[in-house]
Amino acid sequence: MRFHVDGRLVDAADATLPVADRGVTVGDAVTEPVRVADGRPVAWAAHADRLRDACAALEFGVTPDAADLRARVDETVAANDHDDALVRVTVTRGRGGGASTLPDAARLRPPTDPDPTVVVTLEPLTVERDPIRLQTVRARAIRPAAVPVAPATHNRLDAVRAQAELRRAAPPDDDPADEALVLTDDGHVVGGTASDPLFVAGDALRLPAPGEWPARTATRRLVRDLAAAEGLPVAEGAYTPADVRAADEVFVAEPTAGVRPVDRIDGVAVDDGPVTRLLAHLYDARFVDGDA
């Protein structure tokens, strides 16, 4: 396996970042997972935009060029001879800090002349379409007032805590739920840890209103736009886990399968259905088999 690290292809075993890189020392980095199908990154423009927007929101000072990022992805895919894979594109702010009379504050302060590091890793991927299980967790997502693009950063301790909670909650003879439902402080669904839940109720496709909370994935908007283009009513609102459990159909939007059905939420059986199947088909036709 070969990865792309700071402009060079290297063997995966030799792929390292300096311990002084800010992505290592303080989690000062953003990352985006991208599915590769038949050697081509799926929905590349949406993923590149999300990554570049995250760099801008965190004031990296340098926004990576989308064409350059794509070239690094293509080189990584070609070097590994895997037509179907999951790549992760990571941009760190690089090394260095600012000036301060407090040494640790100087380490934290971003440099005035950042030199970002770009890393592309790859793992073979077999896309799974089996329904998954969701479970509501107590862990809360990082508030956007603190980190405006938290789902795209290296600091994913909120998601780690949510997944750890799923593991603790699983019976001794059972596997944990596949994905968490993460809530706001007032009990409304924000999203998952690595996916965005959507559901069908009252003849409309319903999505948790993002408000100040960013989407968990770039795929959410793609699926929403496909539904709107098909003439399906689309509504965004403040929904509770009870709203999702009572839905006619439930699925998640995520980067590997695009649309993946859900069959249980908090132990309650839920259904997929014609809208889920339609959107899965449209996503594949537009982004996986098409040229987008």
Side-chain angles (χ1 to χ4, degrees), residues 101-148:
T101 56
L102 299 176
D104 211 42
R107 180 180 71 93
L108 294 169
R109 188 167 294 173
T112 56
D113 54 346
D115 182 18
T117 300
V118 178
V119 177
V120 182
T121 62
L122 178 147
E123 59 186 89
L125 176 68
T126 299
V127 175
E128 298 288 345
R129 296 299 179 103
D130 292 338
I132 64 171
R133 294 172 296 158
L134 305 182
Q135 184 170 319
T136 306
V137 294
R138 295 186 180 89
R140 297 297 186 250
I142 295 172
R143 292 190 60 81
V147 184

Side-chain angles (χ1 to χ4, degrees), residues 110-288:
T112 56
D113 54 346
D115 182 18
T117 300
V118 178
V119 177
V120 182
T121 62
L122 178 147
E123 59 186 89
L125 176 68
T126 299
V127 175
E128 298 288 345
R129 296 299 179 103
D130 292 338
I132 64 171
R133 294 172 296 158
L134 305 182
Q135 184 170 319
T136 306
V137 294
R138 295 186 180 89
R140 297 297 186 250
I142 295 172
R143 292 190 60 81
V147 184
V149 288
T153 70
H154 267 200
N155 186 347
R156 297 303 315 283
L157 288 177
D158 55 344
V160 171
R161 289 181 63 239
Q163 286 291 338
E165 187 176 332
L166 295 182
R167 187 174 60 192
R168 290 194 305 271
D173 58 347
D174 198 4
D175 294 327
D178 303 287
E179 176 61 301
L181 277 182
V182 181
L183 311 182
T184 62
D185 290 340
D186 58 359
H188 294 113
V189 176
V190 170
T193 62
S195 67
D196 289 283
L198 300 88
F199 63 98
V200 178
D203 296 324
L205 177 67
R206 301 185 183 274
L207 299 78
E212 62 175 336
W213 302 92
R216 308 291 97 178
T217 70
T219 313
R220 177 189 188 275
R221 178 176 62 82
L222 301 177
V223 174
R224 180 201 64 195
D225 291 350
L226 285 172
E230 197 66 15
L232 297 172
V234 177
E236 295 185 352
Y239 301 115
T240 67
D243 295 324
V244 185
R245 291 193 297 266
D248 300 318
E249 304 177 34
V250 185
F251 62 91
V252 297
E254 53 95 9
T256 57
V259 171
R260 191 159 181 186
V262 171
D263 63 1
R264 298 189 78 81
I265 303 174
D266 298 334
V268 176
V270 296
D271 294 324
D272 68 353
V275 174
T276 303
R277 292 189 289 271
L278 172 63
L279 291 174
H281 169 75
L282 292 174
Y283 184 91
D284 285 350
R286 178 74 175 89
F287 299 108
V288 181

Side-chain angles (χ1 to χ4, degrees), residues 23-45:
V24 176
T25 58
V26 293
D28 194 4
V30 296
T31 189
E32 179 72 4
V34 184
R35 177 184 170 187
V36 171
D38 294 327
R40 179 181 57 82
V42 172
W44 170 251

Side-chain angles (χ1 to χ4, degrees), residues 44 59 72 100 187 209 232:
W44 170 251
E59 299 179 343
R72 297 183 195 223
S100 173
L232 297 172

Side-chain angles (χ1 to χ4, degrees), residues 2-4 76 86-90 119-123:
R2 306 198 79 197
F3 296 162
H4 214 293
T76 306
L86 181 68
V87 299
R88 286 185 174 84
V89 185
T90 296
V119 177
V120 182
T121 62
L122 178 147
E123 59 186 89

Side-chain angles (χ1 to χ4, degrees), residues 7 29 93 95 167 285:
R93 204 185 300 256
R95 284 181 274 184
R167 187 174 60 192

